[in-house]
Amino acid sequence: MAKKVKVGVIGAGMISAFHLEGYRECSDAEVVAVCDVVADRAKAAAEKYDIPKTFTSAGRMLAMKEIDAVSVCTPNINHMQSTLKALAAGKHVLCEKPIAMNARQAQTMIDATRKAKKKLMIGLNNRFFTGSRFLKKIIEAGKIGKPYYARSLSIRRRGVPGWGVFGQKKLQGGGPLIDLGVHAIDFMWWIMGRPNPVSAYGITFDHLGSSGQGLGDWGVGYNPTEFSVEDMVGGIIRFEDGRALGLDISWAAHTGDLYWMRLFGTKGGVQLMPEFVIYEMEGKTKIDSAPQLGQENQYANEIQHFADCIRRGQQPISPGSQAVVVATMLDGLAKAARTGRVVSLRTA
Ligand SMILES: NC(=O)c1ccc[n+]([C@@H]2O[C@H](COP(=O)([O-])OP(=O)(O)OC[C@H]3O[C@@H](n4cnc5c(N)ncnc54)[C@H](O)[C@@H]3O)[C@@H](O)[C@H]2O)c1
C-alpha cells in the first residue's frame, strides 16, 4: 500500500478548518505544515490539529521535501499564485473554489499542472455528497430522460460573509456570483453531463450590500464602505445542444433564505433542495427515498478522494480542467451584466 500523503495547508482561515478536519479523519493523509501570512492563525491551527510546523510564507513551506501535496485555502486573489508555486515545487494541489479570479488565470493553472505532471483538484464540495453521486448515476442511466433545463436559486436574506475579504472585488474577483454561483453552476452543469456552454446573459444588483443591510447570520460584520461587488445576480447559460441553466444568486435580499434547485428532464425531474425528490421515474410520480443532500461531511469525502487520487494515480472527479469551464461561464455572466449584452462563450 502506498505511503500516507504528506500535506501542507496554505491559509488558516475559515475554510481551512474544514480541510484540517477532513485530513484528521483521513487515515491516508497527514498534515505536516500549515502556513498563513498572519502567524497567529497558523499557530492556532497547528495547536488545534497537532501540526508540527508553521510558516508565514508559502514559499518556505513548499521547500519542505517531505510535502507531497497542498491545500490552497487563501482568498481568490492568491489561488493562482499559490498553485503555481506548489506545482513548481512538485506538489499536488487541492485548491479551494473558485479555481481562480477568472478563466484566464484558471487556464494558466491548467497549463502549469500539465507541465508539472501533478494533480490539480478543485474544492467543488457539492460533488462529494453521496446523494450527488447517486443522482449523477440516475441521470447517466437515462432514468429522467434528457435533462433539458435546470434552475438553481441560492439566496440569503442577510448573508454577506462577515469575515475575510469576500466583499472586495480586487481580492475575490466578484461577489455572490463567483462565491455561491460557482457551486450553483458547477453542480448543475456536472449533473447534466457537462454540456458545452455557448452563451451567457445576466444582470447584477447592489442595493443592500453597500448600504450595510447585508449583515446577518454569516459572520460578525463587514465594512460596507469596502463592499465593491454585487449583492444579487440573475442569469442564464445556454448550452450547445439547446439545453439551459437559470440562476438566481444573492448574499442579501428582502426574502427568506431560499435554497432551491430543480432539474427538468424529458422523462422525469429532480428537486434537490430543500429536500431531494425525484418525480416521474420508472412509472412512479414521486420517489423521495434518495439519500438527502447536505446530511454528511462532504469535505471529509473530498479530502479522502484527493488522497486516493494521489495514492492511486487517478484523475480527480473535480479536476481543474472542468473548473476552468465553470470560470468561463462566471466570466461570461459578469461581462453580460457589465455590458447588457448576451456574451458568446464559444472558444472556436
Ligand atoms: N468550498 C466552499 O464552499 C467554501 C466556503 C468558504 C470559503 N471558500 C473559499 O476558501 C477561500 C478562503 O476563504 P475563507 O472563508 O477561508 O477566508 P478567510 O479569510 O477566513 O481565510 C483565508 C486565510 O488566508 C490567509 N492568507 C491570505 N493570503 C495568504 C497568503 N498569500 N499565504 C498564506 N495565507 C494567506 C489569510 O490570512 C486568512 O487567514 C476562498 O477562496 C473562498 O472562496 C470555499
Side-chain angles (χ1 to χ4, degrees), residues 111-166:
D111 296 343
T113 305
R114 290 205 181 108
K115 194 169 160 213
K117 297 191 171 59
K118 294 288 160 188
K119 302 203 182 300
L120 172 59
M121 174 169 148
I122 308 302
L124 296 162
N125 46 284
N126 288 337
R127 294 189 182 197
F128 292 91
F129 287 117
T130 309
S132 310
R133 282 170 290 192
F134 172 84
L135 176 58
K136 191 151 170 56
K137 273 198 191 135
I138 285 175
I139 290 167
E140 281 168 358
K143 298 206 172 187
I144 67 158
K146 186 171 183 172
Y148 53 88
Y149 183 54
R151 185 150 196 99
S152 184
L153 276 71
S154 189
I155 297 180
R156 297 181 192 155
R157 177 172 156 66
R158 295 285 183 270
V160 174
W163 71 93
V165 294
F166 285 86

Side-chain angles (χ1 to χ4, degrees), residues 10-16 19 35-38 41 56-58 72-76 78-79 81-82 96-98 123-125 163-166 172 178-179 183 299 302:
I10 307 177
M14 198 284 287
I15 201 65
S16 83
H19 285 237
C35 145
D36 197 294
V37 285
V38 181
R41 290 191 192 154
T56 51
S57 134
V72 174
C73 298
T74 50
N76 300 351
N78 178 257
H79 288 188
Q81 193 188 38
S82 281
E96 257 309 325
K97 67 78 194 166
L124 296 162
N125 46 284
W163 71 93
V165 294
F166 285 86
Q172 286 289 95
I178 198 166
D179 179 44
H183 285 312
Y299 295 101
E302 174 187 298

Side-chain angles (χ1 to χ4, degrees), residues 189 192-200 237-244 325 328-329 345-348:
W189 175 69
M192 290 170 95
R194 294 189 283 115
N196 200 15
V198 292
S199 63
I237 308 272
R238 288 182 70 121
F239 300 109
E240 196 167 51
D241 54 4
R243 300 192 276 160
V325 183
T328 305
M329 291 187 252
L345 304 177
R346 288 181 197 274
T347 44

